[in-house]
Amino acid sequence: MDVNLDVAKEKLIERGFLDIEVDPSMDIFAEIERLKKEKNAIILAHYYQEPDIQDIADYIGDSLGLAQMAEKTDADMIVFAGVHFMAETAKILNPGKKVLLPDLNAGCSLSDSCPPALFKLFKEKHPDHIVISYINCSAGIKALSDIICTSSNAKAIVDSLPKEQKIIFAPDKNLGAYINKTSGRNMVLWNGACMVHEIFSLEKITRLKERHPEAKLIAHPECEEPVLRIADFIGSTTQLLKYTQENDSKSFIVATEAGILHQMMQKSPDKIFIAAPPDNACACNDCPHMKLNTLEKLYLCIKYELPEILMPEDVRLAAKKPIDRMLEMSKQLGII
Ligand code: 13P
Ligand code: SF4
């Protein structure tokens, strides 16, 4: 039996997320579908979510696709199966809608590597630079930025700016270095990184490539330079997925969070996907933040309409400007 709303709220306040037992005999998929209709809710999910969540989502995408979807949905409630900065972006674009995140503790190491107070000081040291921030950052960092980008549009956005424009790129130093290299820029980089993409083992990947010479190595630009250097293709999660569908190769070594393999296998059941190994005892590489969301928490979240994403209106308005700029530029550049 589910508990009542007061108990749920109490647990939420106490523990920061809904951790209530769900009746195991209940058809949780059917219940989520029913609640979704009753509340006019939409479930947006990132590719790194567990397969069950991907299967019940109304839309699965990369950060750019998810931001676009959040901007255009006419649902009253957005249940965001992703991490905090993604749900926050949805709220920034939709102040009138209820935006929920199944587990409020689903943060992001990359976003955490860039605290707004320190970044403000860093920005003050470069007064003639504009700030381009990767969407994987807090609303506080977005509010200090001129343009937001994602891994789908970062290079095109940077390339569209005059060569003499001085730029600070935050928070991901690996994506920033990749754009510096491919665009011939010299952007000042904030020293942040994603714990999931930094832990790939070059040695193990090289050995895998030797064992599977026919396989294409595909990598997310959050990976470190030595991995990117040996990759056959580099792109956002959506771009990686598309590549596996369109490329003639029958096998792929995938250097990004392992959740994406679910879509890759569904879209190309005849192909082989090998998760690139991290530099630890595990065979594949999960994001501990993304994987905090579970189907049970998703159900509780939509049922009790908690935990909700809220933020001060002045921060929301300041953070919205660079996101709007990204969406406008992406339209002008023909990316969306
Ligand atoms: P994209 O889905 O935009 O490629 O981002 C990957 C990621 O690390 C999200 O946390
Ligand atoms: Fe953050 Fe990395 Fe997890 Fe994405 S995969 S949410 S960038 S820690």
Side-chain angles (χ1 to χ4, degrees):
M1 278 294 284
D2 295 337
V3 296
N4 68 32
L5 184 57
D6 288 341
V7 177
K9 272 189 176 162
E10 210 176 283
K11 286 219 176 201
L12 173 70
I13 292 160
E14 232 175 69
R15 309 186 55 150
F17 61 94
L18 290 167
D19 181 22
I20 300 158
E21 245 179 69
V22 173
D23 179 359
S25 66
M26 180 183 74
D27 181 347
I28 194 163
F29 287 94
E31 265 308 290
I32 292 174
E33 287 297 347
R34 188 187 66 73
L35 288 166
K36 234 167 55 179
K37 282 198 191 81
E38 183 187 301
K39 299 181 184 225
N40 188 27
I42 186 172
I43 300 177
L44 305 182
H46 189 266
Y47 291 119
Y48 297 165
Q49 292 294 287
E50 62 174 47
D52 280 348
I53 294 182
Q54 293 190 33
D55 291 346
I56 201 157
D58 297 291
Y59 175 82
I60 317 168
D62 67 359
S63 307
L64 182 61
L66 289 163
Q68 275 177 272
M69 213 48 175
E71 191 200 24
K72 68 180 185 211
T73 181
D74 54 11
D76 296 317
M77 187 187 287
I78 300 174
V79 183
F80 213 111
V83 289
H84 193 270
F85 75 81
M86 296 179 169
E88 213 175 40
T89 303
K91 184 65 184 177
I92 291 166
L93 293 167
N94 287 289
K97 293 189 200 302
K98 193 170 259 189
V99 178
L100 306 168
L101 180 65
D103 191 324
L104 260 194
N105 287 338
C108 167
S109 65
L110 177 53
S111 176
D112 290 349
S113 68
C114 194
L118 288 184
F119 186 69
K120 194 164 175 285
L121 295 175
F122 182 75
K123 189 180 154 176
E124 281 163 10
K125 288 200 187 124
H126 303 91
D128 51 348
H129 289 55
I130 64 160
V131 175
I132 302 185
S133 293
Y134 188 36
I135 198 162
N136 300 33
C137 64
S138 63
I141 294 295
K142 290 185 174 80
L144 292 167
S145 306
D146 297 288
I147 312 171
I148 295 301
C149 69
T150 74
S151 45
S152 290
N153 59 19
K155 185 176 179 312
I157 285 179
V158 171
D159 282 344
S160 74
L161 299 171
K163 277 274 175 233
E164 60 283 4
Q165 175 66 62
K166 292 180 179 169
I167 302 169
I168 295 173
F169 189 88
D172 189 4
K173 64 175 179 193
N174 293 318
L175 176 60
Y178 171 67
I179 297 169
N180 271 346
K181 188 175 164 188
T182 51
S183 300
R185 296 266 175 172
N186 189 21
M187 299 187 296
V188 175
L189 308 180
W190 178 263
N191 188 18
C194 157
M195 63 188 282
V196 178
H197 289 89
E198 276 223 310
I199 204 176
F200 285 114
S201 161
L202 183 65
E203 202 187 318
K204 288 186 196 170
I205 292 176
T206 307
R207 279 208 301 269
L208 256 185
K209 266 171 76 82
E210 281 163 12
R211 271 214 310 278
H212 303 272
E214 72 298 341
K216 291 270 192 287
L217 171 65
I218 59 174
H220 195 280
E222 286 174 26
C223 294
E224 290 180 314
E225 202 272 334
V227 171
L228 295 180
R229 202 183 319 141
I230 58 166
D232 296 293
F233 179 75
I234 297 164
S236 77
T237 50
T238 296
Q239 290 164 344
L240 295 178
L241 178 61
K242 197 159 170 259
Y243 181 81
T244 60
Q245 290 172 265
E246 292 174 356
N247 190 271
D248 288 342
S249 182
K250 289 280 172 222
S251 52
F252 300 88
I253 300 167
V254 184
T256 191
E257 210 265 7
I260 185 82
L261 267 68
H262 181 58
Q263 290 302 316
M264 290 178 172
M265 290 188 286
Q266 279 195 342
K267 299 254 187 311
S268 307
D270 55 325
K271 297 187 179 180
I272 295 164
F273 298 99
I274 307 161
D279 200 5
N280 58 31
C282 303
C284 62
N285 205 358
D286 277 331
C287 170
H289 308 288
M290 286 277 182
K291 295 304 196 283
L292 278 179
N293 294 325
T294 61
L295 198 60
E296 286 73 21
K297 287 181 199 168
L298 183 77
Y299 159 73
L300 292 166
C301 162
I302 189 164
K303 180 177 169 83
Y304 296 115
E305 304 183 15
L306 286 168
E308 185 178 359
I309 301 290
L310 299 165
M311 77 192 71
E313 184 60 5
D314 58 334
V315 176
R316 189 191 72 79
L317 287 172
K320 187 170 183 295
K321 270 195 210 156
I323 300 175
D324 286 344
R325 181 112 190 258
M326 168 186 81
L327 293 170
E328 268 161 40
M329 289 179 84
S330 300
K331 278 175 202 150
Q332 280 163 12
L333 293 165
I335 298 166
I336 57 175

